[in-house]
């Protein structure tokens, strides 16, 4: 079932263009340049009522939620809160009238996420599930369903399920945006064009990733490393850091780039690898000054940026370039080399990539 691949994880990374196409299929109406989500069964009146959104999820699905928050707020101006599902019900969340709760779960069986759904429903919230498994507990308990079509994910480290969740969030944000009229038609059409290009862009990129193996061998010799970025780049950093920890067992942390100097900069030593995400060009100058701060303390900086970003090439020691897209779509492209980086770093350390120690694919205890 590995289709000639050594590991499910690599197979699943390479399946991402297909997963994007399947998750998009039938959901973009070309004539009206709009999104149709009939299976979600949430009509425009329901959508127009939404005043607040809360998203609950665990692990990688939580990192998709971080992206979801950012894009829903940008496209719709509806305030969005995000919670790690295991924290949600113990913080006595304020669930007002017209709150939509979105639960994100690849397996649909995560106990903490289910508990959060039950808490939300008790308070009368409408619950929408984003899940990859038809008929799963999360799918059954939610009021509305937005499926991701990543196909079965076997490796413990989530890859194609995460990026499919991002695609689901782009569709949802655009759908809410068109229902409440928060986005002009030209902006929507422009974003749709770029979303439709993502599968081919990812496919082309996957054929040109030889540089990643050599970077992975370099970082495999370190005990600690840092991922930094601002805005959506910080959300990518969080997911990249989790992926690396989970399978390579190298300690890493993700920081908003501007936050390092408030304490953690003290950890940077000669040679410490720092992976600097710099796809968000509105904050590029700021990110570059943060790169200079770590370099001045001896860090070895690996940048991640859109093709053509020459400023980063000057500031960093080396750069991983990814195909250019809209800044809002960056997570769906820039995470991919970092999934591969985790994969090759785990291989370089001789780890069991698909079944990392101490972890289970589906976490059914709270
Ligand atoms: O099935 P779920 O999406 O609910 O799982 C949530 C997390 O357990 C999961 O994403 C976990 O963090 C992954 N192993 C990360 O790669």
């Amino acid at each position: 079932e590995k289709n000639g691949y050594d590991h499910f994880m690599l197979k699943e990374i390479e399946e991402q263009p297909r997963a994007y196409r399947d998750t998009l299929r039938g959901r973009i109406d070309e004539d009206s340049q709009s999104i149709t989500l009939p299976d979600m069964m949430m009509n425009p009146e329901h959508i127009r009522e939404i005043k607040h959104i809360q998203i609950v999820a665990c692990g990688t699905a939580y990192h998709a939620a971080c992206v979801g928050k950012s894009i829903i707020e940008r496209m719709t101006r509806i305030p969005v809160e995000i919670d790690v599902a295991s924290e949600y019900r113990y913080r006595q969340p304020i669930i007002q009238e017209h709150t939509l709760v979105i639960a994100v779960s690849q397996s649909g069986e995560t106990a903490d996420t289910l508990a959060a759904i039950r808490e939300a429903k008790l308070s009368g919230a409408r619950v929408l599930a984003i899940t990859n498994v038809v008929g799963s507990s999360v799918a059954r308990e939610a009021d509305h369903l937005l499926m991701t079509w990543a196909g079965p994910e076997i490796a413990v480290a989530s890859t194609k399920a995460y990026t499919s969740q991002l695609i689901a969030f782009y569709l949802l944000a655009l759908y809410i945006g068109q229902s409440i009229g928060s986005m002009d038609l030209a902006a929507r059409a422009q974003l749709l064009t770029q979303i439709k290009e993502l599968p081919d862009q990812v496919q082309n990129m996957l054929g040109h990733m030889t540089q990643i193996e050599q970077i992975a061998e370099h970082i495999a010799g370190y005990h600690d490393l840092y991922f930094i970025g601002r805005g959506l780049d910080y959300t990518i950093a969080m997911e990249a850091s989790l992926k690396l920890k989970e399978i390579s067992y190298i300690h890493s942390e993700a920081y908003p780039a501007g936050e390092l100097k408030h304490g953690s900069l003290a950890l940077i030593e000669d040679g410490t690898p720092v992976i600097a995400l710099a796809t968000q060009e509105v904050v590029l100058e700021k990110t570059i000054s943060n790169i200079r701060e770590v370099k001045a303390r001896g860090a070895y900086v690996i940048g991640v940026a859109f093709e053509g970003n020459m400023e980063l090439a000057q500031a960093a020691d080396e750069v991983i370039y990814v195909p250019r897209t809209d800044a809002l779509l960056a997570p769906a492209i820039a995470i991919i080399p970092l999934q591969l980086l985790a994969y090759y770093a785990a291989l370089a350390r001789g780890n069991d990539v698909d079944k990392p120690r101490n972890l289970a694919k589906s976490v059914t205890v709270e």
Side-chain angles (χ1 to χ4, degrees):
E1 337 113 32
K2 285 187 198 151
N3 280 348
Y5 286 95
D6 290 340
H7 300 96
F8 282 108
M9 185 180 177
L10 187 59
K11 171 174 176 275
E12 290 163 6
I13 288 173
E14 300 211 345
E15 281 171 353
Q16 287 176 111
R18 200 269 308 137
Y20 286 23
R21 287 188 192 104
D22 286 351
T23 302
L24 290 171
R25 181 163 302 120
R27 289 168 163 176
I28 298 176
D29 184 282
E30 297 293 345
D31 295 336
S32 58
Q33 288 292 303
S34 62
I35 307 293
T36 55
L37 296 172
D39 6 332
M40 198 165 81
M41 302 214 286
M42 207 188 267
N43 58 41
E45 288 82 80
H46 290 151
I47 302 281
R48 279 192 287 270
E49 275 172 14
I50 302 169
K51 294 275 176 296
H52 315 269
I53 294 175
Q54 296 179 335
I55 314 179
V56 293
C58 303
T60 283
Y62 174 76
H63 295 148
C66 297
V67 177
K69 170 187 163 73
S70 186
I71 59 175
I72 293 171
E73 288 187 340
R74 296 266 280 275
M75 294 189 207
T76 71
R77 308 312 295 160
I78 297 173
V80 182
E81 285 174 89
I82 43 177
D83 276 88
V84 166
S86 56
E87 291 292 317
Y88 183 71
R89 69 182 163 141
Y90 303 106
R91 74 162 172 99
Q92 300 178 4
I94 300 170
I95 303 175
Q96 290 162 305
E97 223 189 332
H98 304 308
T99 297
L100 174 70
V101 173
I102 305 175
V104 192
S105 174
Q106 184 284 128
S107 63
E109 301 299 342
T110 300
D112 289 316
T113 308
L114 271 169
I117 292 177
R118 291 175 188 148
E119 175 76 22
K121 288 190 77 172
L122 277 179
S123 306
R126 191 183 279 286
V127 177
L128 163 67
I130 297 179
T131 182
N132 196 43
V133 179
V134 179
S136 60
S137 306
V138 163
R140 282 185 279 112
E141 295 203 19
D143 303 300
H144 304 275
L145 196 53
L146 178 52
M147 290 300 299
T148 52
W149 298 111
E153 193 181 62
I154 310 295
V156 167
S158 180
T159 54
K160 62 176 182 171
Y162 166 75
T163 47
S164 302
Q165 287 158 359
L166 301 183
I167 300 293
F169 272 120
Y170 293 128
L171 292 170
L172 180 66
L174 284 163
Y175 183 67
I176 299 174
Q178 81 196 22
S179 308
I180 65 173
S182 62
M183 267 182 104
D184 70 68
L185 204 63
R188 194 169 81 211
Q190 160 85 10
L191 210 55
L192 278 178
T193 305
Q194 309 230 54
I195 288 174
K196 285 185 287 184
E197 282 170 8
L198 286 172
D200 286 347
Q201 287 181 308
V202 170
Q203 198 156 349
N204 292 339
M205 172 174 63
L206 281 167
H208 301 91
M209 291 269 91
T210 44
Q211 167 202 22
I212 304 295
E213 278 189 65
Q214 158 256 312
I215 300 175
E217 272 159 31
H218 172 90
I219 66 163
Y222 286 84
H223 293 294
D224 295 285
L225 68 92
Y226 299 90
F227 288 88
I228 61 171
R230 289 168 174 259
L232 280 172
D233 282 328
Y234 172 51
T235 67
I236 304 168
M238 287 192 278
E239 172 55 10
S241 173
L242 178 64
K243 214 89 306 170
L244 185 73
K245 278 186 267 215
E246 185 175 21
I247 57 171
S248 76
Y249 318 145
I250 301 170
H251 169 247
S252 72
E253 287 183 61
Y255 283 103
E259 186 63 13
L260 270 187
K261 56 180 166 299
H262 298 287
S264 311
L265 195 57
L267 293 168
I268 304 293
E269 295 174 354
D270 215 23
T272 305
V274 173
I275 301 186
L277 280 298
T279 65
Q280 302 296 302
E281 288 175 353
V282 287
V283 287
L284 183 63
E285 288 315 312
K286 303 272 180 201
T287 305
I288 286 183
S289 60
N290 300 131
I291 290 174
R292 296 214 174 91
E293 286 162 5
V294 293
K295 273 195 66 79
R297 275 81 185 176
Y300 182 81
V301 177
I302 301 153
V304 180
F306 288 139
E307 277 155 6
N309 183 338
M310 289 305 146
E311 283 138 292
L312 198 66
Q314 282 170 1
D317 293 288
E318 59 186 305
V319 181
I320 301 169
Y321 281 111
V322 298
R324 191 167 278 278
T325 185
D326 190 278
L328 292 178
L329 306 181
I333 283 207
I335 193 61
I336 287 167
L338 301 175
Q339 295 170 337
L340 285 167
L341 184 70
Y343 173 77
Y344 286 117
L347 274 192
R349 294 186 140 214
N351 297 350
D352 184 345
V353 175
D354 284 338
K355 287 202 178 61
R357 67 187 183 200
N358 310 343
L359 299 172
K361 180 64 181 164
S362 185
V363 185
T364 52
V365 289
E366 281 184 53

